[in-house]
Amino acid sequence: MNISERIKALFNRLLFLGYQSFQIEQIIKEALGQCTWEKDDHKQNLQILINLEKYERLGNAYLLTYSK
């Protein structure tokens, strides 16, 4: 799975965990520190991937904690 496929999968996973699209877009903007995303920029994609993975871990932890 390449990096863009992984970003798409994480986007969908975060939607499943209850994040709204605008929240995920804000996570991406936060990762970039700017509003424009150059999809061919490996460095930007890596930053986005790291942030989305962080929020996936947080969402999973929340789900495990409060689903009992």
Side-chain angles (χ1 to χ4, degrees), residues 6 8-19 24 56 60 63:
R6 180 73 177 132
K8 288 177 190 175
L10 284 167
F11 192 98
N12 290 330
R13 179 73 179 143
L14 291 174
L15 287 173
F16 176 77
L17 290 171
Y19 289 88
I24 301 169
E56 181 193 27
N60 281 329
L63 187 64

Side-chain angles (χ1 to χ4, degrees), residues 4 6 10 14-15 17-18 21 23 25 27 29-30 33 35 38 40 45 47-50 52 54-55 62 64 66-67:
S4 62
R6 180 73 177 132
L10 284 167
L14 291 174
L15 287 173
L17 290 171
S21 295
Q23 292 172 310
E25 290 168 6
I27 292 168
K29 287 179 185 178
E30 177 186 308
C35 292
E38 300 294 328
D40 294 331
N45 288 339
Q47 284 300 112
I48 291 168
L49 187 67
I50 290 167
L52 292 178
K54 177 177 88 172
Y55 281 92
Y62 180 85
L64 289 173
Y66 294 104
S67 67

Side-chain angles (χ1 to χ4, degrees), residues 3 7 41-51 53:
I3 196 163
I7 288 172
D41 187 333
H42 182 73
K43 184 178 176 183
Q44 284 184 347
N45 288 339
L46 192 56
Q47 284 300 112
I48 291 168
L49 187 67
I50 290 167
N51 267 24
E53 287 175 340

